[in-house]
Amino acid sequence: MQLGIIGLGRMGGNIARRLMKNGHGTVVYDRAQQAVQALTADGSVGAADLADLVSKLAAPRAIWVMLPAGAITEGTINTLAGLMSPGDVIIDGGNTNWKDDVRRAKSLAAKGLDYIDVGTSGGVWGLERGYCMMIGGKAETVTRLDPIFATLAPGMGDVPRTPNREGHDPRAEQGYIHAGPPGAGHFVKMIHNGIEYGLMQAYAEGFDILRSANAEGKAEGESFDFKMADIAEVWRRGSVVTSWLLDLTASAMASDSELTEYSGFVEDSGEGRWTIEAAIDQAVPAEVLTAALYTRFRSRQEHTYAEKILSAMRKGFGGHVEPKAVEPKA
């Protein structure tokens, strides 16, 4: 199947590569032409601009937009809408607010265009591991694009099957779902990221307590000599708190248990904020997720070891590079 891809950054480029690796054709565009050239060398068809990309795709066209949420994505989709034909589909795979999806789907439908929102998780590891996808849009359009989603998804892998799943959507076991109408995919991904904040914060606080128990100057018997890297490693093996996030933490600590590379300044993608807004709209208490978000705000004023762990995890799964630690002046 053929797919156009706009935005060849940390995830967009590897989406193209995973598709090509499995026999699909890709036409790619990015404002950074060196990124286009790199994908062209790997087998993609490069495009000079959006009009060129549209012209190189066979109808009915499908174009995946993988850009930061906000004005850049909005402008790109508006431009595409003027270049594409009825029956074509625009896919937004970035971290877009679900309310924007609902609005766009209605606007594009008036022009005969379909709109699909894909909450995409997998970060910089997607080429190797595949992408977990939460998809919103019309069922028939999602079905038509299933070869694309099935290729990008991680598949069953070595994850044990969940008992009693007879009668449920088999795509979920492959790592992707049709979550519902436009906006549903990004709504589910929004909550996914909110939960991610809470999980990361729990690990960060736990390791911060362990490290504090090593503090010098305490009375005999009240201080320990915990090895952070060893604790992270042993928890990976048979513990009920094992996870990919813990794997990334263990890897970072094995290199430098003090995480001196990180400042402790932690960004947020926006989806954590939207999750809290949704909780307020639904009058659902979300104490852990709210506290985790507020901690990221505080981290930009004062930093702790816990925040360094958050930064290490963010770099591990998404390639997020935050401000480096600054050496104190003499």
Side-chain angles (χ1 to χ4, degrees), residues 96-164:
T96 290
N97 190 304
W98 65 275
K99 295 179 181 179
D100 290 332
D101 295 319
V102 174
R103 171 180 52 78
R104 287 177 191 159
K106 291 180 180 178
S107 175
L108 293 172
K111 300 179 180 181
L113 301 174
D114 284 326
Y115 179 83
I116 300 293
D117 56 285
V118 181
T120 311
S121 181
V124 296
W125 297 86
L127 176 60
E128 174 187 346
R129 296 167 58 113
Y131 300 90
C132 173
M133 292 169 290
M134 298 134 269
I135 306 165
K138 293 195 304 188
E140 56 268 32
T141 306
V142 174
T143 299
R144 176 165 71 83
L145 296 173
D146 191 76
I148 295 293
F149 300 134
T151 297
L152 292 176
M156 287 284 293
D158 58 0
V159 178
R161 300 193 72 170
T162 301
N164 306 314

Side-chain angles (χ1 to χ4, degrees), residues 25-180:
T26 60
V27 181
V28 299
Y29 171 71
D30 192 288
R31 288 187 297 181
Q33 279 299 301
Q34 62 268 31
V36 176
Q37 293 163 6
L39 264 296
T40 300
D42 288 340
S44 286
V45 175
D49 53 34
L50 296 183
D52 188 36
L53 181 139
V54 172
S55 72
K56 289 177 175 176
L57 291 167
R61 303 170 185 85
I63 298 179
W64 185 301
V65 179
M66 201 67 179
L67 296 169
I72 296 176
T73 294
E74 192 74 22
T76 299
I77 290 175
N78 287 340
T79 300
L80 287 175
L83 297 169
M84 299 173 75
S85 304
D88 292 348
V89 57
I90 295 174
I91 306 164
D92 182 359
N95 286 333
T96 290
N97 190 304
W98 65 275
K99 295 179 181 179
D100 290 332
D101 295 319
V102 174
R103 171 180 52 78
R104 287 177 191 159
K106 291 180 180 178
S107 175
L108 293 172
K111 300 179 180 181
L113 301 174
D114 284 326
Y115 179 83
I116 300 293
D117 56 285
V118 181
T120 311
S121 181
V124 296
W125 297 86
L127 176 60
E128 174 187 346
R129 296 167 58 113
Y131 300 90
C132 173
M133 292 169 290
M134 298 134 269
I135 306 165
K138 293 195 304 188
E140 56 268 32
T141 306
V142 174
T143 299
R144 176 165 71 83
L145 296 173
D146 191 76
I148 295 293
F149 300 134
T151 297
L152 292 176
M156 287 284 293
D158 58 0
V159 178
R161 300 193 72 170
T162 301
N164 306 314
R165 273 200 54 83
E166 296 81 4
H168 292 275
D169 187 347
R171 291 174 293 188
E173 288 187 313
Q174 301 299 318
Y176 68 109
I177 58 168
H178 178 214

Side-chain angles (χ1 to χ4, degrees), residues 166-300:
E166 296 81 4
H168 292 275
D169 187 347
R171 291 174 293 188
E173 288 187 313
Q174 301 299 318
Y176 68 109
I177 58 168
H178 178 214
H186 277 142
F187 192 100
V188 175
K189 176 58 160 52
M190 173 184 73
I191 303 304
H192 164 284
N193 280 28
I195 293 171
E196 178 185 290
Y197 280 33
L199 293 173
M200 292 172 69
Q201 189 62 33
Y203 284 126
E205 291 178 9
F207 280 108
D208 206 7
I209 295 169
L210 288 166
R211 181 172 176 271
S212 294
N214 286 348
E216 297 179 0
K218 292 185 176 182
E220 183 177 353
E222 294 180 3
S223 181
F224 300 91
D225 185 23
F226 291 131
K227 303 295 188 294
M228 299 295 105
D230 290 346
I231 293 172
E233 185 63 29
V234 76
W235 283 353
R236 293 181 61 221
R237 304 184 182 277
S239 163
V240 296
V241 299
T242 189
S243 72
W244 186 27
L245 290 172
L246 182 60
D247 294 345
L248 297 171
T249 303
S251 178
M253 287 182 169
S255 299
D256 174 13
S257 63
E258 288 299 310
L259 304 176
T260 53
E261 173 185 356
Y262 303 96
S263 69
F265 182 107
V266 187
E267 292 282 7
D268 66 285
S269 65
E271 293 203 326
R273 304 185 190 208
W274 302 338
T275 298
I276 304 311
E277 290 173 3
I280 293 170
D281 290 343
Q282 304 293 333
V284 174
E287 295 96 333
V288 171
L289 308 190
T290 303
L293 175 64
Y294 285 0
T295 295
R296 296 194 178 197
F297 295 163
R298 182 193 49 73
S299 77
R300 296 160 206 174

